[in-house]
C-alpha cells in the first residue's frame, strides 16, 4: 500500500511541474501564435499537457 501512495504523490508532483512549466513559459499563447489551436472540443494546450504527462 505504501508504494501506491508514493506513486500517487510522485505523479501529482510531475503533473504540478508540467502545469507550472506551461504557465511560466506561456505555452498556450505560443501554440495559438503558431496556429496550433482547435475550434471545438479539448483545447490544444490540454492535449500537449497530456502528451507531456505520458512521457514523464
Amino acid at each position: 500500500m505504501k508504494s501506491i501512495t508514493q506513486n500517487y504523490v510522485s505523479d501529482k508532483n510531475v503533473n504540478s511541474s508540467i502545469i507550472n512549466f506551461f504557465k511560466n513559459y506561456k505555452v498556450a499563447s505560443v501554440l495559438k501564435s503558431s496556429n496550433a489551436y482547435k475550434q471545438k472540443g479539448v483545447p490544444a494546450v490540454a492535449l500537449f499537457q497530456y502528451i507531456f504527462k505520458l512521457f514523464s
Side-chain angles (χ1 to χ4, degrees):
M1 190 76 165
K2 191 173 185 179
S3 64
I4 293 173
T5 305
Q6 289 173 345
N7 287 341
Y8 174 75
V9 170
S10 177
D11 288 346
K12 196 170 181 181
N13 289 339
V14 169
N15 188 25
S16 176
S17 296
I18 291 171
I19 289 171
N20 286 335
F21 174 83
F22 272 66
K23 285 181 184 177
N24 289 339
Y25 291 98
K26 298 178 175 123
V27 174
S29 62
V30 171
L31 289 171
K32 192 170 186 177
S33 68
S34 64
N35 292 326
Y37 61 90
K38 297 175 59 190
Q39 293 180 354
K40 290 185 178 179
V42 179
V45 70
L47 294 174
F48 276 86
Q49 284 179 345
Y50 182 73
I51 292 169
F52 270 71
K53 290 174 193 175
L54 286 175
F55 291 107
S56 61

